[in-house]
Amino acid sequence: MTKAEAIIAMEQGGSKVAHHFFLELEWIKSIDDDFFIDETGLWLPKEEFWKCRQGEKWEEGWKIVG
């Protein structure tokens, strides 16, 4: 799935998503307009999360998990 599709799945469907660069049990989920939460319960500011996940290699390779 694309990055855009993963964002929609999180924002509209409440889904947990992972990328093929993530470790096996890693995932993120949108919890509000400003934050994701990860598998450890850590709140991640969305703006900061996406800053280091830019470019072509992050545009594909997303999937819904759990």
Side-chain angles (χ1 to χ4, degrees):
M1 113 181 347
T2 67
K3 179 179 174 180
E5 291 168 331
I7 291 170
I8 290 169
M10 288 188 291
E11 301 290 338
Q12 295 179 2
S15 298
K16 297 175 186 176
V17 301
H19 190 266
H20 67 86
F21 291 147
F22 289 11
L23 296 176
E24 184 178 342
L25 299 176
E26 290 182 320
W27 53 264
I28 59 169
K29 179 180 178 178
S30 181
I31 54 173
D32 64 21
D33 290 340
D34 298 316
F35 290 92
F36 294 124
I37 193 168
D38 72 7
E39 72 286 346
T40 67
L42 183 66
W43 286 41
L44 308 163
K46 290 180 179 181
E47 186 175 320
E48 293 297 316
F49 180 85
W50 291 123
K51 275 186 184 178
C52 62
R53 292 168 181 88
Q54 298 286 323
E56 194 174 314
K57 63 185 178 183
W58 289 99
E59 293 301 317
E60 296 282 339
W62 294 91
K63 64 181 178 180
I64 295 174
V65 297

